[in-house]
């Protein structure tokens, strides 16, 4: 086993079209001192054979472990990957994405100087042949106030562009797993909202250059989710929010709203979803001026939709009671 402080974790499912580019970007790393663990989650295409060919070709260049299992979904596969990790730090990469050649070296330079619980890399989104990018304040935070401002304004919800301290991650995940319900559609936001609401600002750092390339496809899970799935998530909101900090509640509720806004399906169900979310938000102090403009827009649009739907369905409910 190669000595390394970092393990790359990649869950794989039916990505024969994209996984070669993902794995090839790891071969191109200028720092190859990392471990690589891949899990084939019951793929029905040639994903597994591509992974195996890659291992044969590059096992002398880097430490590679491949596991294969029956399909259990992304959430459970990620959980298993973290439990397989033996290094101090790990990073998730989605199997249809790819990374810059300085991806590992950028993280390594940071952790050589100081121990961190989370390091965030800048990312670009590759959507239908075009690149987009997201910006954030690229520095460290020495005070709780400045860090709180960051997590209210920045888009940090993804699991895949971050280096995590393994012990810190597992400790917090074990707490979250005590809940009977674990959301699948909004897992990234659920986990990161909790992690960053329980992290010391001095243990977070950033990489200002674009290091991660996220591929957004027609089949991306974030494209037009079904309102039934959002309904399932919000029906468990009370248990998810129980005892959580206000910043977690605000961030996670707005994340769910962003999905509910574009969700397709029954409008009466969307009304119920909005009702549950805004009920949670009413219990905390939401200062909209401190939110980024994107989140303010989400709240504003969803508030209008909720009022319109409330007028319609409250009226229907009153008529049913009077009959």
């Amino acid at each position: 086993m190669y000595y390394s402080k970092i393990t790359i974790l990649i869950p794989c499912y039916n990505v024969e079209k994209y996984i070669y580019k993902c794995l090839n970007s790891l071969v191109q790393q200028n720092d190859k001192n990392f471990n690589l663990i891949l899990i084939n989650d019951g793929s029905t295409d040639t994903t597994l054979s591509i992974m195996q060919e890659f291992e044969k070709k590059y096992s002398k260049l880097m430490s590679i472990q491949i596991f294969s299992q029956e399909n259990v979904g992304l959430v459970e596969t990620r959980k298993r990957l973290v439990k397989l990790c033996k290094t101090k730090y790990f990073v998730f990469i989605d199997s249809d994405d790819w990374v810059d050649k300085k991806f590992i070296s950028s993280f390594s330079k940071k952790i050589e100087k100081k121990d961190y619980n989370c390091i965030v890399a800048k990312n670009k989104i590759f959507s239908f042949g075009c690149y987009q990018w997201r910006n954030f304040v690229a520095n460290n935070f020495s005070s709780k106030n400045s860090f709180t401002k960051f997590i209210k304004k920045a888009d940090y919800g993804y699991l895949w562009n971050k280096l995590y301290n393994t012990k810190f991650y597992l400790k917090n995940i074990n707490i979250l797993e005590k809940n009977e319900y674990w959301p699948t559609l909004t897992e990234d936001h659920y986990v990161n909202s909790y992690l960053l609401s329980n992290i010391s600002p001095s243990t977070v750092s950033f990489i200002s250059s674009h290091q991660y390339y996220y591929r957004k496809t027609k089949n991306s899970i974030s494209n037009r989710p079904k309102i039934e799935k959002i309904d399932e998530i919000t029906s468990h909101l009370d248990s998810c929010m129980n005892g959580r900090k206000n910043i977690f509640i605000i961030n996670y509720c707005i994340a769910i709203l962003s999905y509910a806004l574009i969700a397709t399906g029954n409008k009466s169900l969307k009304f119920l979803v909005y009702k549950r979310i805004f009920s949670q938000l009413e219990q905390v102090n939401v200062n909209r001026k401190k939110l980024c403009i994107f989140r303010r827009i989400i709240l504003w649009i969803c508030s209008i939709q909720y009022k319109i739907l409330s007028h319609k369905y409250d009226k229907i409910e009153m008529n049913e009671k009077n009959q």
Side-chain angles (χ1 to χ4, degrees):
M1 180 71 72
Y2 295 77
Y3 174 76
S4 174
K5 287 186 177 181
I6 300 173
T7 298
I8 296 175
L9 306 176
I10 307 181
C12 307
Y13 176 71
N14 286 356
V15 283
E16 62 181 6
K17 292 181 180 179
Y18 309 115
I19 192 171
Y20 178 80
K21 186 175 182 68
C22 174
L23 296 176
N24 189 56
S25 70
L26 303 182
V27 176
Q28 301 301 319
Q29 292 299 299
N30 54 22
D31 179 359
K32 295 182 177 63
N33 187 25
F34 60 86
N35 297 335
L36 173 61
I37 304 177
L38 304 102
I39 292 183
N40 171 54
D41 185 32
S43 296
T44 56
D45 61 6
T46 60
T47 295
L48 180 57
S49 62
I50 295 172
M51 292 161 57
Q52 291 169 336
E53 285 298 317
F54 178 82
E55 182 184 23
K56 288 179 183 178
K57 190 173 182 179
Y58 295 108
S59 58
K60 292 183 179 179
L61 189 65
M62 64 185 79
S63 171
I64 305 171
Q65 290 179 281
I66 294 177
F67 299 88
S68 192
Q69 63 189 26
E70 292 184 4
N71 182 258
V72 295
L74 178 61
V75 171
E76 293 303 318
T77 302
R78 278 178 172 167
K79 288 180 182 179
R80 184 185 177 194
L81 279 165
V82 178
K83 290 175 182 177
L84 289 168
C85 177
K86 303 300 180 185
T87 54
K88 187 172 182 177
Y89 298 96
F90 74 87
V91 58
F92 286 118
I93 297 179
D94 282 359
S95 51
D96 51 356
D97 300 338
W98 67 98
V99 294
D100 186 83
K101 65 181 180 180
K102 295 181 181 178
F103 184 67
I104 292 298
S105 61
S106 297
F107 287 131
S108 295
K109 288 176 183 177
K110 289 278 188 180
I111 60 178
E112 283 174 4
K113 298 176 182 178
K114 182 181 176 180
D115 288 337
Y116 289 101
N117 283 330
C118 181
I119 303 176
V120 186
K122 217 170 187 179
N123 67 87
K124 280 188 178 181
I125 299 175
F126 186 73
S127 179
F128 307 111
C130 299
Y131 284 104
Q132 307 164 20
W133 57 88
R134 303 185 181 214
N135 294 311
F136 52 79
V137 181
N139 56 17
N140 300 330
F141 293 98
S142 57
S143 71
K144 185 176 181 179
N145 288 337
S146 60
F147 180 71
T148 300
K149 288 179 181 179
F150 162 72
I151 62 175
K152 282 186 177 181
K153 290 184 176 181
D155 185 358
Y156 61 81
Y158 308 110
L159 285 172
W160 38 249
N161 65 328
K162 299 168 184 65
L163 182 84
Y164 297 98
N165 179 293
T166 308
K167 285 185 178 180
F168 168 78
Y169 187 93
L170 284 173
K171 177 184 176 182
N172 285 278
I173 289 300
N174 288 338
I175 294 172
L176 281 178
E177 283 188 326
K178 290 179 180 179
N179 286 340
E180 293 182 2
Y181 180 76
W182 185 285
T184 53
L185 180 62
T186 57
E187 183 212 11
D188 286 32
H189 296 281
Y190 181 62
V191 172
N192 271 321
S193 293
Y194 185 78
L195 290 175
L196 294 181
S197 67
N198 289 281
I199 202 169
S200 170
S202 62
T203 64
V204 181
S205 188
F206 299 90
I207 297 170
S208 58
S209 57
H210 292 105
Q211 297 295 324
Y212 193 100
Y213 296 87
Y214 166 64
R215 185 192 302 274
K216 193 170 184 179
T217 67
K218 291 180 181 179
N219 295 323
S220 293
I221 196 168
S222 56
N223 289 347
R224 304 306 300 270
K226 301 293 184 182
I227 193 63
E228 288 80 8
K229 192 63 181 178
I230 313 299
D231 174 56
E232 177 191 322
I233 294 169
T234 57
S235 66
H236 293 86
L237 267 184
D238 286 340
S239 62
C240 289
M241 301 300 181
N242 185 33
R244 305 298 183 222
K245 296 179 181 178
N246 285 0
I247 191 65
F248 168 82
I249 295 172
I250 293 169
N251 286 333
Y252 187 50
C253 280
I254 295 176
I256 302 173
L257 282 175
S258 68
Y259 283 90
L261 179 62
I262 61 172
T264 59
N266 189 291
K267 287 187 178 180
S268 63
L269 204 55
K270 180 173 281 195
F271 163 68
L272 183 59
V273 165
Y274 281 154
K275 189 174 183 178
R276 290 170 181 157
I277 297 172
F278 281 106
S279 175
Q280 288 288 339
L281 289 174
E282 286 174 1
Q283 298 176 38
V284 296
N285 182 26
V286 182
N287 188 337
R288 299 194 182 197
K289 292 181 180 180
K290 292 185 177 181
L291 299 174
C292 69
I293 189 166
F294 171 76
R295 290 181 180 174
R296 274 185 277 171
I297 290 172
I298 292 293
L299 274 177
W300 178 65
I301 296 174
C302 290
S303 296
I304 292 173
Q305 279 196 359
Y306 179 45
K307 287 178 182 178
I308 294 171
L309 292 171
S310 294
H311 179 73
K312 178 180 179 180
Y313 290 104
D314 283 345
K315 190 174 181 179
I316 292 173
E317 187 177 343
M318 286 179 64
N319 290 335
E320 288 176 348
K321 287 181 179 180
N322 293 330
Q323 288 178 355

